[in-house]
Amino acid sequence: MKNDIGMDIGTANTLIYMKSKGIVVNEPSVVAIDKEYKSVLAVGGEAKEMIGKTPAAILSVCPIKEGVIAEFDTAQSMLKSFVKKAFSKKTFVKSRVVVCVPINVTAVEKQVIKDALINSGAREVFVVEKPMAAAIGAGLPVSEPIASMIVDIGCGTSEIAVISLGGIVCGKTVKMAGSNFDRAIEKYVKRAHSLIIGNQTAEKIKIALGSAFDVNDGETMEISGSDYMTGLPKNAVVTAEEIRAALKDSLMTIVEAIKDVLEDTPPELSADIIERGITLTGGGALIKGIDSLIKKEVGMPVYIAENPTECTVNGTGKILDDIDLIKKDSLYLAAK
């Protein structure tokens, strides 16, 4: 079973975990396509570098939207490319795959993901809800009669769940995550500095200056873009305080969703969460001070998992070790 793999097919990045090697692929979920010939020119990091820089004949596509496949053929081409990279000269045909999906995924969306992987050569596909995989990857005791609360802030969605005895007791998916943070920064820079910037520049600003609490006041960054009035190249300097203000509404949407899930949590499990706290995973957990913001708003301990961007795919890898148990008892599996 050394060739069995776990996959986190995300809006921003796709990660593949191979049982015998660990994480073998971590690539942007982007495909560059020749519009005239309908052929794939580049996949992953190479394709991402083309975003915003391609001529009219080349189209950069992100086939995963909000954690599910939005463009089947493009996504299938992307997955085949990533799988080929993961296996090198080995075969993928006899491999079993554990793949994660958002909590609120529909049966149709789940089947689309399964079909794409089967068509890419997988023998068998097991679908697991993303917060479950993230919690397992973060080392939380999901199989015990103890409440574990996970908040996974990805690129397309944020997944919030309370887990106990191998299942999700209550949870919620909100379409507010990393890509929304980028758009909020783009809008703010346009409004405050009359400067139009691209998505990749906004992402760089988010990584460098993004914060949810006053932990990096005084930090600045010089950025480049197009003047909103003239269209000519222009530079500007943005501050950490400005970017924090730009992100405030987006972050508070996630905080309110956390409160909603806490309100739905049975009293017996609420006591566990008060004692054990909330665990943050996903790229959004890297926003400076986000743990302090959530702790202030909900009044309980908040912890950032180790290597938060890799928790979900590592969770699928750990699930591979119990795959026969999963088949027998449907433990961890997403609802059919």
Side-chain angles (χ1 to χ4, degrees):
M1 304 306 171
K2 291 182 179 180
N3 290 345
D4 289 346
I5 63 172
M7 299 187 73
D8 176 12
I9 306 173
T11 303
N13 293 283
T14 294
L15 290 83
I16 298 179
Y17 180 105
M18 187 176 289
K19 197 169 180 180
S20 56
K21 297 181 179 180
I23 297 174
V24 292
V25 171
N26 186 349
E27 292 274 358
S29 302
V30 184
V31 182
I33 299 174
D34 185 309
K35 293 170 66 176
E36 182 178 355
Y37 296 100
K38 308 295 182 183
S39 58
V40 174
L41 300 177
V43 176
E46 186 181 351
K48 185 176 180 179
E49 288 297 318
M50 297 182 182
I51 294 177
K53 305 175 184 178
T54 59
I58 299 175
L59 181 65
S60 292
V61 178
C62 299
I64 311 298
K65 303 292 185 185
E66 297 170 355
V68 297
I69 291 176
E71 299 188 28
F72 184 83
D73 291 339
T74 306
Q76 187 169 292
S77 297
M78 180 185 77
L79 293 177
K80 283 183 177 179
S81 176
F82 290 159
V83 166
K84 184 177 180 180
K85 180 177 180 180
F87 280 83
S88 186
K89 296 179 181 179
K90 294 182 180 180
T91 179
F92 179 51
V93 175
K94 296 183 179 180
S95 297
R96 295 182 292 185
V97 180
V98 173
V99 62
C100 47
V101 297
I103 295 174
N104 64 343
V105 69
T106 66
V108 172
E109 290 167 336
K110 191 190 304 182
Q111 190 60 49
V112 167
I113 291 176
K114 285 185 175 182
D115 290 345
L117 289 169
I118 293 294
N119 291 341
S120 297
R123 173 165 62 93
E124 203 170 7
V125 178
F126 301 94
V127 179
V128 178
E129 288 166 323
K130 191 167 186 177
M132 177 64 76
I136 293 171
L140 300 181
V142 298
S143 298
E144 298 179 17
I146 301 171
S148 297
M149 187 167 189
I150 191 89
V151 178
D152 183 79
I153 307 173
C155 178
T157 62
S158 292
E159 304 278 326
I160 305 155
V162 174
I163 299 169
S164 179
L165 289 171
I168 292 177
V169 178
C170 54
K172 185 174 185 177
T173 297
V174 287
K175 297 177 181 179
M176 179 61 67
S179 59
N180 302 92
F181 301 163
D182 296 340
R183 287 194 290 271
I185 292 171
E186 288 181 51
K187 291 179 180 178
Y188 178 85
V189 170
K190 180 180 178 180
R191 183 177 68 252
H193 296 275
S194 296
L195 186 69
I196 299 175
I197 59 173
N199 179 261
Q200 294 196 59
T201 299
E203 185 179 17
K204 290 176 181 177
I205 296 171
K206 176 183 67 180
I207 293 171
L209 298 181
S211 63
F213 223 69
D214 54 354
V215 293
N216 61 340
D217 287 357
E219 294 183 9
T220 63
M221 180 179 180
E222 184 174 6
I223 58 174
S224 301
S226 302
D227 186 283
Y228 176 60
M229 299 300 293
T230 66
L232 297 175
K234 175 183 173 181
N235 292 337
V237 174
V238 293
T239 68
E241 293 87 341
E242 286 182 295
I243 302 307
R244 183 160 60 249
L247 295 176
K248 181 179 179 181
D249 289 345
S250 299
L251 292 171
M252 289 307 298
T253 298
I254 295 174
V255 169
E256 291 303 316
I258 294 172
K259 291 180 180 179
D260 289 343
V261 174
L262 286 170
E263 289 175 4
D264 292 338
T265 303
E268 292 80 1
L269 297 180
S270 295
D272 290 337
I273 300 172
I274 292 172
E275 180 182 348
R276 297 171 52 80
I278 299 168
T279 300
L280 305 182
T281 62
L286 298 176
I287 296 288
K288 302 177 185 71
I290 190 168
D291 52 339
S292 299
L293 173 68
I294 297 173
K295 180 180 179 180
K296 176 187 174 185
E297 294 294 329
V298 302
M300 58 187 64
V302 179
Y303 307 99
I304 299 174
E306 185 178 354
N307 299 321
T309 59
E310 298 176 359
C311 283
T312 301
V313 74
N314 283 333
T316 64
K318 290 180 179 179
I319 291 170
L320 286 171
D321 294 332
D322 291 324
I323 202 161
D324 291 325
L325 176 64
I326 291 169
K327 290 176 70 177
K328 180 180 178 182
D329 297 334
S330 297
L331 188 66
Y332 308 144
L333 290 186
K336 294 182 179 180

